Amino acid sequence: MDNAAFEMHEGTIPNGSCPGKMSAIPRMEKKKQWSLMSVFLVCLLACTVTTAVGVLILSLVYINNPQPHSEPKPQTTIPTLQKAVDPKFQFLNHLPKSKVFEFSGGEIQWARYRNNIKDYLSIEEEAFGSSLNSQRSQMTLGTLRIKRNGLRAPHWHFNANEHGYLAQGTAWIGVVDDGHVVTTYNVTAGQVIFFPKNTLHWIKNVGNEDCYFLLFFSTHDELQTLDVDDVFFSTPEDIASRSLKPEGGISFIRSFQKQKEDQAVNLPPNLADLVMNANYAQSPDSLVWRYFYDLKGSKEYRFPGGIIQLAQYWKNESGLSNNEKIFSKFLNQHQNALSLCTLRIYNNGLRQPHFHFNANEMGYVISGCAKVGIINTKGTTEFDIHVGDVIFFPIGTQHYIKSACDEDLLFILAFSTRDQLQTLDMDDYFQATADHILAQLFFKKQSEFKKIPRFNEDQAINLP
C-alpha cells in the first residue's frame, strides 16, 4: 500500500486525506520547537539568577573585607624607648616621694605591691613593689600619721598580721579577739604593737602631738582591709536593726549618715560636742602583752659599733620577763607573724656583711644616713639611704650597712619569720671555714689566714 503522506507534493492536498489529521502535524512540530525553547529559556534564567547571586556574594565579601588577601607590606615602626630602672630600686623605696593618702584625722603612705601598675607613681616605685611580690617577701610597709585626737577607725585585715612601731606620740589601742575579749592599753614612742590577721583593732591618739607609726604587714600582695563604718553602711537597714536591736529600731539605724569623705583616719570638727566622757582603760598585763611589747625597755645587745633590741620569739626564755614570755609565745602561735628590732649604728659604724637563713628583711630609716650594699648572684649593688627610705633584703642575700652621718643611724627592721631569727656574719663564716680550704679557694698561703684575728667581743656591728 502506498503511503500518500510521504508522496505529497508541495502546494497540493492529497485526495482522500483527512484535513484535521493533516493540520495536526505542523502543530506537533511547533509544540516540539516550543518545548526546546522553554528549556533554553529556563536554563538561561537559572544562569542569570546564579550569576546575580554570585555577584551579590562577592560584593558583600568585598564590603566586609575591603583589603585584598595579600601579604601585608612590612611597616616601619618607631620603637618606644623606656627609661632603664636602676637595679637598686629592687631593694630601695624613697617613701617620702610616694603618694600621700590624706584623711581628716591624718595620712598614710605605702611601700607595697599593687595589682594595677597604674597605681604606682614612678617606675622606681613599681620596681620595688614588683620585687616584694616576686620574691614572695610576705612584707608590706606603711606609715600612719594620726593628728591630735584623731582615730584610726576600728578595722581588720583579711590577709595579713600587722606589726607596728610607734616612733612619736602616745596612743590608746583597742583589740577585740575571736573570743569577744576586749583588750585596751596605752603605747608610747619606742614600743611595739601586734594585731593578728582578722582581729578587729583601733588606734586613738591621746597625746598632745601627732602619732607617727611605722607599720609592717605580713603580705606581699595588696593589703585587704575592712573598716567598721564601711561594713555598717553596707549592711541592709533591717539586718542591722535586727542585729543591734536599738531603741527606735530601724528608725535609729536610718539616723546614721554616711560621710562623703573616707573616715579611715577620723577627726570630726565637732568632736567636743560628740564625746563627753572618754575612758582610756588599761587591761591586765596578761592580756595586754599579747598585743604589746616594750621594745625600748627590752634587753640591749651591745656591740662595738652599735646596739640591737629585738621583739621576737625566743626558744630559750631565760632572761625574759614574765610579760616578755607572753609576747614571745603569742607571736609564735600566729602563722606568718613577723619579728621586729631596732638597729642603732654609731657614726662610722658598720653592720658587717651577713645574711639570714629564714627571713626576708625590710627596714625604715628613722634617723641618720648610710651606705648599703647587697651582694647576690648578679653582683654587688650599692646605694645611699636617708631618713624615710625603705630597704628590702631578700632571704639569703648578703648585705651590709655603713653609717655615713655624724649622728647615729637608727632603723626599725622587720623579718618575715615567727621563729627566732637565724643569721650568719661574714667574720663568723670565715673563721668557721678551715684555713686550708680558704688557701685553696683564694690561691693564698694557708699561713696568711692567721692574720684574720678572732675577737672575744661580737663584731656584728663594728668600728674601724
Side-chain angles (χ1 to χ4, degrees):
M1 181 185 295
D2 296 333
N3 189 340
F6 290 102
E7 292 179 356
M8 180 178 64
H9 295 281
E10 185 179 359
T12 62
I13 300 174
N15 293 327
S17 297
C18 175
K21 187 175 180 180
M22 293 295 296
S23 63
I25 294 173
R27 284 199 303 270
M28 290 176 65
E29 291 180 353
K30 284 184 178 181
K31 187 173 181 180
K32 184 177 181 181
Q33 292 176 358
W34 175 247
S35 298
L36 292 174
M37 182 63 70
S38 298
V39 171
F40 171 75
L41 291 175
V42 169
C43 291
L44 180 62
L45 179 60
C47 291
T48 303
V49 171
T50 303
T51 302
V53 171
V55 170
L56 179 60
I57 292 173
L58 289 175
S59 299
L60 292 174
V61 171
Y62 181 80
I63 290 172
N64 291 328
N65 300 278
Q67 299 298 326
H69 294 281
S70 59
E71 291 296 324
K73 295 181 179 180
Q75 297 181 355
T76 303
T77 58
I78 301 175
T80 302
L81 297 178
Q82 292 186 346
K83 182 181 177 182
V85 183
D86 191 319
K88 70 181 182 183
F89 289 107
Q90 299 173 63
F91 316 108
L92 171 66
N93 179 286
H94 292 310
L95 189 59
K97 295 183 179 180
S98 68
K99 181 178 179 180
V100 179
F101 294 85
E102 296 182 336
F103 306 89
S104 60
E107 61 187 38
I108 298 175
Q109 286 182 281
W110 293 103
R112 66 176 178 179
Y113 168 75
R114 299 178 185 277
N115 291 327
N116 187 346
I117 62 172
K118 294 181 180 179
D119 290 337
Y120 293 111
L121 292 187
S122 66
I123 56 175
E124 291 82 9
E125 191 177 65
E126 179 188 347
F128 185 80
S130 298
S131 177
L132 293 182
N133 187 260
S134 63
Q135 297 282 350
R136 303 193 66 79
S137 65
Q138 295 183 2
M139 294 182 130
T140 288
L141 183 142
T143 59
L144 169 63
R145 184 179 297 278
I146 305 177
K147 298 176 183 178
R148 183 172 178 268
N149 292 323
L151 168 70
R152 175 62 183 101
H155 64 284
W156 64 92
H157 308 291
F158 289 81
N159 62 335
N161 301 297
E162 178 179 353
H163 301 252
Y165 174 86
L166 182 54
Q168 173 187 298
T170 304
W172 185 63
I173 308 296
V175 185
V176 183
D177 67 17
D178 55 0
H180 306 165
V181 176
V182 181
T183 302
T184 57
Y185 57 94
N186 291 296
V187 59
T188 58
Q191 296 177 327
V192 165
I193 55 177
F194 170 55
F195 308 127
K197 181 172 64 175
N198 287 321
T199 299
L200 187 144
H201 56 279
W202 68 80
I203 305 173
K204 165 75 175 176
N205 185 342
V206 294
N208 295 319
E209 60 181 340
D210 287 358
C211 282
Y212 192 66
F213 281 93
L214 307 172
L215 304 175
F216 297 89
F217 301 88
S218 61
T219 180
H220 48 259
D221 295 319
E222 280 202 357
L223 187 64
Q224 300 175 14
T225 303
L226 264 182
D227 290 359
V228 165
D229 61 328
D230 292 330
V231 174
F232 177 82
F233 288 112
S234 298
T235 304
E237 293 173 342
D238 61 323
I239 300 299
S241 177
R242 288 187 59 179
S243 299
L244 301 177
K245 300 187 182 302
E247 293 183 12
I250 200 168
S251 297
F252 176 80
I253 300 299
R254 289 172 178 168
S255 68
F256 288 77
Q257 297 295 320
K258 184 175 177 62
Q259 302 299 309
K260 293 181 180 179
E261 297 177 349
D262 193 334
Q263 297 298 304
V265 191
N266 159 287
L267 183 57
N270 61 335
L271 181 61
D273 298 329
L274 300 174
V275 179
M276 306 300 178
N277 183 23
N279 178 19
Y280 304 116
Q282 181 85 2
S283 298
D285 285 352
S286 59
L287 294 177
V288 170
W289 278 78
R290 296 186 302 170
Y291 311 108
F292 165 86
Y293 192 82
D294 185 14
L295 185 58
K296 67 180 180 181
S298 66
K299 180 179 178 179
E300 293 183 345
Y301 293 85
R302 291 185 170 271
F303 305 88
I307 301 171
I308 293 176
Q309 290 179 282
L310 294 159
Q312 66 168 19
Y313 166 73
W314 295 94
K315 292 182 180 178
N316 184 353
E317 295 182 339
S318 62
L320 297 182
S321 69
N322 290 333
N323 286 336
E324 288 174 335
K325 291 177 182 178
I326 294 172
F327 180 83
S328 174
K329 291 177 180 178
F330 191 71
L331 188 70
N332 189 248
Q333 292 171 7
H334 292 84
Q335 188 175 7
N336 297 329
L338 307 178
S339 298
L340 266 60
C341 87
T342 52
L343 168 64
R344 183 180 296 276
I345 304 178
Y346 304 144
N347 176 33
N348 208 28
L350 169 70
R351 176 65 182 100
Q352 68 161 284
H354 64 284
F355 65 92
H356 307 294
F357 290 84
N358 62 336
N360 298 295
E361 178 179 353
M362 180 178 280
Y364 176 95
V365 183
I366 298 175
S367 64
C369 63
K371 181 176 288 295
V372 170
I374 300 170
I375 303 170
N376 59 16
T377 56
K378 296 181 180 179
T380 303
T381 302
E382 275 197 334
F383 51 87
D384 297 325
I385 54 174
H386 303 85
V387 174
D389 284 341
V390 177
I391 56 172
F392 168 59
F393 304 132
I395 185 171
T397 300
Q398 181 161 283
H399 52 280
Y400 54 87
I401 305 169
K402 183 181 181 299
S403 179
C405 288
D406 292 336
E407 63 177 322
D408 290 354
L409 173 70
L410 180 60
F411 267 108
I412 178 68
L413 301 173
F415 302 90
S416 62
T417 180
R418 62 178 176 174
D419 296 319
Q420 190 167 321
L421 186 63
Q422 300 172 8
T423 303
L424 190 61
D425 291 351
M426 186 177 192
D427 65 337
D428 290 329
Y429 63 72
F430 257 78
Q431 296 288 359
T433 304
D435 56 9
H436 64 87
I437 297 297
L438 295 174
Q440 180 174 338
L441 175 63
F442 290 104
F443 292 80
K444 202 171 184 65
K445 289 185 178 180
Q446 183 175 353
S447 60
E448 289 291 298
F449 291 94
K450 303 296 184 184
K451 296 179 180 180
I452 300 176
R454 294 178 181 269
F455 294 91
N456 293 326
E457 190 176 13
D458 194 331
Q459 298 294 306
I461 313 174
N462 66 25
L463 289 172

